[in-house]
């Protein structure tokens, strides 16, 4: 039978979020109902609330989550009730041209649950954030959005791989291809940027330069593995990165802000034939202008990183294993744990730069 649970709703553009009773239908073919245990408060959720993604209000927020599969629909074989899973927002199809060429992380036909959860009082259909909607006691997803991992890991830690931490680590390791001895610069040291620092450190980068306008964030980046920091309020980041790399620029520059001005900094702060990785999310109105001769003359690669070019079935278990081995500290990203009614306050703390991640425990 359909279930009624509590969930966090964004009712309209820039309106305060509120906790409402929602109805979660029984899973249909290829779907699963997951009892959510923890969900991180990601900047993307704030974008949804502000209308920066689309205007399909009301939204059921939350997407950076881990929990336990409660029930599955017909045809589901990869997960079963009782499995501890991390939720992802890119369930691959296995049939598109990218999947058939062995590049499922580029899948062009990712999918979510077909059924919609609804507001119990009115029957209004909800738009789940990134196809997940996990600021709720239970949520309905496509079974392919569930990746089984070791249940010994804390849900508050595991869930962060569902978005920001995976995006940052993947931007360095998967998209940027950072290797042993490389020089790396990361522009923007929020959760995704710090995860890129972790990824670069994990890959064996010799020098990792963190750039931000907030000294508190730079200190956190240093604790995550950055070897050098640059406050771009007081120093030209391009000149500073060049000075720290023998005048050449970094082999890989990861832009984790998503703004034209910081992208330009990333472009000119890389070495000849270096790589720029854009993992920060721009808004639809942003435009970028670069001299085409500079694009041609500098060579190298300009890349965008979707979800860290990750394959959840491959990357989530691997990163959980590395965390359990003590090789990466995913717990360092958790600043605080909060209740389901504290999401609006968490958005305010996010604006003030006081937290790396607030995590809702359910």
């Amino acid at each position: 039978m359909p279930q009624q649970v509590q969930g966090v709703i964004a009712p309209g553009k820039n309106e305060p979020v509120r906790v409402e009773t929602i109805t979660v239908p029984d899973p249909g073919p290829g779907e699963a109902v997951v009892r959510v245990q923890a969900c991180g408060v990601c900047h993307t959720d704030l974008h949804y609330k502000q209308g920066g993604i689309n205007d399909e209000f009301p939204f059921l927020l939350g997407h950076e989550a881990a929990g336990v599969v409660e029930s599955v629909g017909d045809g589901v074989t990869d997960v079963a009730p009782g499995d501890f899973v991390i939720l992802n927002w890119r369930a691959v199809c296995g049939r598109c041209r990218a999947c058939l060429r062995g590049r499922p992380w580029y899948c062009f036909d990712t999918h979510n649950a077909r059924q919609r959860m609804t507001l119990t009082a009115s029957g209004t259909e909800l738009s789940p954030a990134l196809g997940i909607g996990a600021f709720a006691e239970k949520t309905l997803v496509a079974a392919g959005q569930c990746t089984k991992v070791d249940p010994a890991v804390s849900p508050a830690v595991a869930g962060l791989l569902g978005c920001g931490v995976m995006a940052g680590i993947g931007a360095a390791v998967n998209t940027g291809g950072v290797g042993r001895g490389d020089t790396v610069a990361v522009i923007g040291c929020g959760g995704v940027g710090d995860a890129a620092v972790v990824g670069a450190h994990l890959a064996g980068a010799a020098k990792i330069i963190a750039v931000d306008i907030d000294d508190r964030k730079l200190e956190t980046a240093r604790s995550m593995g950055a070897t050098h920091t640059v406050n771009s309020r007081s120093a030209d980041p391009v000149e500073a990165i060049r000075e720290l790399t023998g005048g050449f620029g970094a082999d890989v520059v990861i832009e984790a802000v998503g703004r034209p001005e910081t992208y330009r900094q990333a472009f000119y702060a890389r070495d000849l034939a270096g790589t720029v990785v854009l993992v920060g999310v721009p808004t639809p109105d942003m435009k970028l202008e670069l001299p085409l001769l500079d694009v041609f003359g500098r060579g190298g690669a300009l890349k965008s990183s979707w979800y860290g070019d990750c394959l959840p079935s491959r990357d989530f278990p691997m990163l959980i294993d590395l965390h359990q081995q003590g090789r990466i500290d995913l717990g360092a990203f958790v600043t605080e744990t909060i209740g389901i009614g504290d999401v609006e306050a968490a958005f305010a703390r996010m604006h003030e730069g006081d937290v790396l991640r607030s995590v809702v425990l359910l």
Side-chain angles (χ1 to χ4, degrees):
M1 292 181 60
Q3 302 180 71
Q4 295 180 0
V5 301
Q6 298 296 293
V8 177
I9 306 302
K13 186 175 181 178
N14 286 322
E15 293 183 27
V17 302
R18 57 180 186 243
V19 178
E20 296 272 6
T21 301
I22 67 172
T23 298
V24 180
D26 291 335
E31 296 176 342
V33 170
V34 175
R35 176 168 52 84
V36 180
Q37 294 179 317
C39 185
V41 182
C42 177
H43 206 276
T44 302
D45 292 304
L46 182 59
H47 281 321
Y48 273 105
K49 175 193 168 183
Q50 295 171 334
I53 306 294
N54 57 55
D55 59 358
E56 296 173 6
F57 292 95
F59 293 110
L60 175 59
L61 298 181
H63 60 277
E64 210 173 60
V68 176
V69 175
E70 182 177 87
S71 58
V72 299
D74 292 342
V76 175
T77 57
D78 289 340
V79 292
D83 285 345
F84 178 64
V85 297
I86 300 173
L87 300 182
N88 73 79
W89 42 272
R90 299 204 72 209
V92 301
C93 71
R95 299 180 303 274
C96 72
R97 59 195 185 279
C99 288
L100 293 176
R101 293 175 69 189
R103 302 172 183 173
W105 49 90
Y106 292 139
C107 178
F108 302 132
D109 194 21
T110 57
H111 57 281
N112 307 127
R114 292 180 179 275
Q115 301 181 86
R116 287 292 188 101
M117 292 172 279
T118 59
L119 287 173
T120 302
S122 64
T124 302
E125 289 189 344
L126 295 166
S127 299
L130 290 178
I132 294 177
F135 287 154
E137 295 163 328
K138 297 179 184 180
T139 191
L140 176 75
V141 294
Q145 295 178 259
C146 301
T147 302
K148 185 178 178 180
V149 296
D150 189 338
V153 71
S154 161
V157 168
L160 299 185
L161 289 178
C163 188
V165 172
M166 183 69 255
I169 292 177
V173 176
N174 296 334
T175 315
V178 175
R180 291 189 300 274
D182 281 350
T183 56
V184 178
V186 178
I187 299 177
C189 296
V192 173
D194 281 345
V197 169
V198 169
H201 179 72
L202 182 67
K207 189 171 289 184
I208 304 170
I209 305 161
V211 180
D212 203 279
I213 60 174
D214 188 329
D215 285 332
R216 295 172 301 171
K217 291 185 177 182
L218 291 172
E219 188 59 35
T220 299
R222 190 176 285 276
S223 74
M224 296 284 190
T227 59
H228 299 77
T229 59
V230 175
N231 188 317
S232 54
R233 282 193 187 276
S234 55
D236 182 324
V238 175
E239 293 303 317
I241 292 168
R242 289 189 173 280
E243 184 176 343
L244 289 167
T245 54
F248 300 116
D251 296 309
V252 180
V253 184
I254 299 167
E255 201 282 300
V257 181
R259 296 191 59 85
E261 56 268 36
T262 45
Y263 189 91
R264 286 179 62 88
Q265 290 169 359
F267 179 82
Y268 286 108
R270 67 182 175 129
D271 196 357
L272 291 174
T275 298
V276 174
V277 176
L278 174 65
V279 68
V281 181
T283 57
D285 59 300
M286 291 179 178
K287 307 291 184 184
L288 175 69
E289 184 173 323
L290 287 169
L292 191 58
L293 184 60
D294 286 357
V295 175
F296 172 78
R298 299 180 66 82
L302 308 179
K303 296 185 174 183
S304 297
S305 185
W306 290 357
Y307 206 175
D309 287 344
C310 80
L311 184 61
S313 59
R314 175 195 65 193
D315 294 340
F316 289 1
M318 174 194 68
L319 292 172
I320 291 295
D321 285 347
L322 292 175
H323 169 70
Q324 292 175 316
Q325 294 166 17
R327 295 175 62 187
I328 56 175
D329 182 9
L330 296 177
F333 289 89
V334 181
T335 307
E336 63 174 359
T337 56
I338 61 176
I340 195 173
D342 301 323
V343 171
E344 187 69 32
F347 284 146
R349 286 192 291 276
M350 183 188 295
H351 266 306
E352 294 160 5
D354 292 335
V355 296
L356 198 54
R357 266 302 184 270
S358 302
V359 178
V360 176
L361 298 182
L362 293 115

